[in-house]
Amino acid sequence: MVQFSKRHWKKVAVGFTGILLVVIGAAWYTGYHWRRELQHQLHSYVLQMTDSLYSLQYASMDLDILGGDLTLHKISLVPDTARYHHLQEQQRARPFYCAVAADKIDLQGFSAWQYFREKKIVASALVFTAPALVMHVDTRTKDTSAPRSFYQAMSRQLKEIRIGRLQLLNTNMLYTFDRPGAKQMSMQVNKLDIRVEDLLVDSVAQRDPTRYLYSSNFTIDLKDYKYRSKDSMYWMKVHELHYNAAAQTLRIDSFHLEPMYDYAEFDKHLHFQNDRFNIRFNQVRIHGCDPYSLMEGNLLARSMHVGSGMVHVYHNRNLPEDPKPKYGKHPNQVLARLGVPLQLDTMIAKEIDVQYREVSPKTGETGVLDFKHASGVLTNITNIDTSLKKDNQLVVRLHALLMGQGDLSARFDFPINDSAGAFRLSGVLKNLDGRRMNPIVRPLNRIEIAALQVHSLAFNMSGNQYRAAGTVDFKYDSLKVTFLQQKEDTKHAKRSGLATFLANAFGLKNNSPDKGVVPAAAIVEMDRDPHKSFFNLVWKTIFKGIKQTAGSGLLKSIT
């Protein structure tokens, strides 16, 4: 019985081994045959589905039927640029094309049986190793042909593509962008992670509004990005960027526009006066960010929130003035000619530290003006014609503590499509101890505010890039100043007793006019210095009203 059993199991083992060898042999033969079929079909499919625009190239292919894996080594999808230009001439080209390369791609869980029997590509994952991506967007391109979806392009060869997960990790990407009347923009990004979930291409998915590029969702992650400005004066840095297509959210941990040089070195690189910016925004959140618009280089979004940040501006007036006028640089003028379609319904920024530093040509010293805990709400930030027909007003509402104390609120209204840069401004400053203004007044003018209580400074004006006019209502009391003069034997300014006495005794109006005194507010007009900024025009107009109220003869030397 035992002997029979051994002979029985021996036959079973031999038979099983034989069957296994037959299966392996059949799988090897079938795999070899199918691999040759796939090699031919992949090349022809790509040419047919892209109207001969792309060709597929790779070094070798591995097909494991039993394991369910298809691997292509040294693969690249290459556009024929001559063919693209020909399609452009025929107005049959899409506004973008791309090139893809990778050390290898793995189609995991690939069912070869379904592919050859049902013309379906079904797999659990498609993984790119060491991918490189080149994307070129050209909005100058006009496509007058009947639009075809990707499914319509592939439907003669394939019935369905279903991939559970697609990922391109540590991708190196070059992005170039062309617009009418503008220079080409390019951007190089390294270590970009792209993940696509539940990719499905079939007759139903092409019309499914819940899918994004045939997927249920895709995400883009970028750890760090660094870009040098064209003038080599700034670094633009982005840290921790994440985009989620299904949620339509773009999250940036921090954005930093960082000068490449300190103050002194920055000035050495300038021929004329220019502002030096140091800007950082933290915890930036953009909601309602359309993925299709992003792919075309446009930013269309519902809202943007900035959690905190800083805006520091430095200006050295010892440098020569730029002989070119600064017309055309009001916020609405800059937005109108931005060159990139922009639609942002609302932008909210909080806890922004705003600082302005200016070097005086009269004293050689640096004055500092601070706005603490600044916040702002901007609405209708757009340059899109269809949106401007509905509402052409960019509204900016700001609030801050001037020098950490004075309660400052302001509202700007900008008609975006006004070529002359028209604007309206209203605002009020309340409850400021005037001595807090000495860090800006004393270095720039050698005048020190000895006493001043600002109850309110209300201003209302309108203007454009050439002039401004309006009213300034300044309510204050206890104004006293100290004049300073430079001594040759010391670096420090000393008190000028006679000038101070005369000013406080005869030149100043120590208190604002009582209620009922006419006029209650100063009426002001100011022509724009074409070499100065928009904000200089605003400040000069307000300060003219202050001088009219407090004593213009005394304060005329204050800038």
Side-chain angles (χ1 to χ4, degrees):
M1 186 72 178
V2 174
Q3 188 176 5
F4 173 79
S5 178
K6 288 182 178 180
R7 285 199 302 268
H8 173 72
W9 288 112
K10 185 176 181 181
K11 290 179 180 179
V12 171
V14 171
F16 178 78
T17 302
I19 293 171
L20 182 61
L21 290 173
V22 170
V23 171
I24 293 174
W28 178 86
Y29 176 79
T30 303
Y32 174 78
H33 174 71
W34 281 357
R35 185 169 65 250
R36 295 189 63 182
E37 283 291 311
L38 273 172
Q39 289 173 342
H40 170 73
Q41 292 178 3
L42 284 177
H43 287 289
S44 62
Y45 283 180
V46 169
L47 288 173
Q48 293 173 28
M49 288 190 290
T50 64
D51 198 8
S52 300
L53 179 58
Y54 290 92
S55 62
L56 181 68
Q57 302 171 7
Y58 54 88
S60 61
M61 174 190 291
D62 296 328
L63 175 61
D64 182 356
I65 295 178
L66 299 179
D69 284 324
L70 173 65
T71 304
L72 301 178
H73 300 271
K74 300 297 181 182
I75 183 172
S76 60
L77 183 68
V78 182
D80 184 340
T81 55
R83 174 62 178 167
Y84 183 76
H85 294 320
H86 179 67
L87 292 173
Q88 281 182 311
E89 293 173 356
Q90 296 180 328
Q91 296 188 344
R92 295 195 299 119
R94 296 291 180 89
F96 66 89
Y97 63 85
C98 66
V100 184
D103 285 352
K104 69 174 181 177
I105 62 170
D106 294 313
L107 193 60
Q108 301 170 0
F110 171 60
S111 174
W113 301 94
Q114 280 188 283
Y115 171 75
F116 283 102
R117 290 177 57 188
E118 304 176 20
K119 291 300 179 183
K120 296 181 179 180
I121 294 180
V122 180
S124 59
L126 176 61
V127 179
F128 288 70
T129 301
L133 178 64
V134 176
M135 289 191 66
H136 180 81
V137 177
D138 189 348
T139 59
R140 301 170 300 181
T141 299
K142 293 183 179 180
D143 184 4
T144 59
S145 61
R148 284 202 311 164
S149 67
F150 178 69
Y151 170 75
Q152 290 171 327
M154 76 167 204
S155 57
R156 291 185 179 182
Q157 289 80 27
L158 296 170
K159 294 180 179 179
E160 177 185 298
I161 297 177
R162 184 187 296 271
I163 299 174
R165 170 176 51 89
L166 185 152
Q167 63 182 37
L168 297 89
L169 305 183
N170 292 318
T171 304
N172 294 326
M173 184 181 79
L174 174 63
Y175 177 87
T176 59
F177 190 77
D178 281 308
R179 286 190 180 278
K183 293 182 179 179
Q184 184 181 85
M185 182 188 76
S186 63
M187 180 173 64
Q188 178 75 48
V189 179
N190 299 320
K191 297 183 179 180
L192 183 73
D193 292 345
I194 303 173
R195 296 177 175 86
V196 180
E197 301 173 10
D198 183 25
L199 180 66
L200 175 61
V201 184
D202 64 10
S203 59
V204 177
Q206 68 172 335
R207 298 183 178 89
D208 188 346
T210 65
R211 289 186 171 270
Y212 306 91
L213 302 177
Y214 292 97
S215 69
S216 62
N217 191 21
F218 69 86
T219 61
I220 299 174
D221 290 275
L222 179 62
K223 182 72 175 178
D224 290 291
Y225 172 69
K226 188 176 181 179
Y227 173 78
R228 180 158 50 187
S229 63
K230 291 183 179 180
D231 60 6
S232 297
M233 299 293 280
Y234 292 94
W235 284 112
M236 187 185 77
K237 299 179 180 179
V238 175
H239 178 63
E240 294 285 358
L241 178 149
H242 175 77
Y243 178 71
N244 186 301
Q248 294 196 13
T249 57
L250 177 64
R251 184 180 72 241
I252 300 174
D253 183 67
S254 68
F255 167 85
H256 195 183
L257 183 67
E258 181 183 66
M260 297 185 65
Y261 310 104
D262 60 20
Y263 297 119
E265 191 65 25
F266 192 92
D267 288 341
K268 291 179 182 178
H269 285 76
L270 298 178
H271 298 292
F272 305 105
Q273 292 181 30
N274 204 351
D275 291 330
R276 175 189 184 272
F277 295 96
N278 191 356
I279 300 172
R280 178 189 288 273
F281 293 143
N282 303 316
Q283 301 302 314
V284 179
R285 302 289 185 267
I286 301 177
H287 301 277
C289 192
D290 179 65
Y292 299 103
S293 298
L294 277 180
M295 289 185 61
E296 295 177 0
N298 306 330
L299 179 57
L300 308 182
R302 186 174 63 254
S303 64
M304 175 178 174
H305 297 258
V306 179
S308 63
M310 70 174 191
V311 177
H312 289 186
V313 184
Y314 165 83
H315 191 98
N316 188 347
R317 290 177 58 203
N318 280 313
L319 298 174
E321 283 191 343
D322 191 338
K324 297 179 181 179
K326 292 188 176 182
Y327 294 137
K329 295 187 178 182
H330 284 199
N332 44 348
Q333 294 172 312
V334 173
L335 178 60
R337 66 168 187 272
L338 188 61
V340 177
L342 174 63
Q343 174 71 59
L344 185 59
D345 296 339
T346 306
M347 175 180 172
I348 300 174
K350 299 179 179 179
E351 292 300 319
I352 308 297
D353 173 28
V354 181
Q355 183 184 90
Y356 177 73
R357 299 171 62 90
E358 181 178 300
V359 180
S360 169
K362 293 193 299 185
T363 68
E365 299 178 15
T366 303
V368 181
L369 185 66
D370 278 316
F371 299 86
K372 299 295 186 182
H373 306 292
S375 62
V377 178
L378 290 74
T379 56
N380 195 40
I381 308 171
T382 186
N383 54 13
I384 298 175
D385 291 339
T386 54
S387 298
L388 292 175
K389 289 179 181 179
K390 299 176 184 178
D391 184 1
N392 75 333
Q393 293 292 320
L394 165 64
V395 179
V396 181
R397 297 176 178 87
L398 303 174
H399 180 266
L401 295 180
L402 177 60
M403 306 306 279
Q405 184 193 56
D407 193 319
L408 175 64
S409 298
R411 169 175 170 153
F412 289 91
D413 289 79
F414 298 100
I416 301 169
N417 52 3
D418 187 278
S419 60
F423 71 94
R424 293 192 305 273
L425 167 63
S426 61
V428 62
L429 170 67
K430 297 180 180 179
N431 303 323
L432 174 69
D433 182 342
R435 292 174 295 180
R436 286 180 174 264
M437 296 299 294
N438 281 324
I440 185 74
V441 174
R442 184 171 49 221
L444 301 188
N445 301 281
R446 294 215 174 102
I447 294 177
E448 186 175 85
I449 299 174
L452 171 63
Q453 183 60 45
V454 178
H455 301 294
S456 69
L457 172 63
F459 44 90
N460 196 316
M461 73 180 74
S462 61
N464 54 32
Q465 64 180 351
Y466 303 109
R467 61 186 60 85
T471 60
V472 177
D473 191 1
F474 186 30
K475 304 298 184 185
Y476 67 95
D477 62 44
S478 307
L479 173 59
K480 291 184 179 181
V481 299
T482 299
F483 275 76
L484 306 174
Q485 59 183 7
Q486 190 75 31
K487 297 294 185 181
E488 295 181 0
D489 59 343
T490 177
K491 295 182 179 180
H492 301 287
K494 299 296 184 179
R495 184 176 186 271
S496 175
L498 179 59
T500 299
F501 170 76
L502 293 174
N504 291 311
F506 304 106
L508 281 177
K509 298 175 184 177
N510 301 105
N511 304 301
S512 58
D514 295 332
K515 292 182 180 179
V517 176
V518 179
I523 300 174
V524 292
E525 293 183 4
M526 177 64 64
D527 288 331
R528 163 85 175 272
D529 182 340
H531 303 291
K532 303 294 186 181
S533 68
F534 163 70
F535 291 102
N536 181 269
L537 172 64
V538 170
W539 162 242
K540 289 291 188 181
T541 305
I542 295 174
F543 191 62
K544 187 174 183 179
I546 293 175
K547 289 193 290 184
Q548 286 183 21
T549 303
S552 58
L554 167 71
L555 300 178
K556 65 182 180 180
S557 62
I558 300 181
T559 58

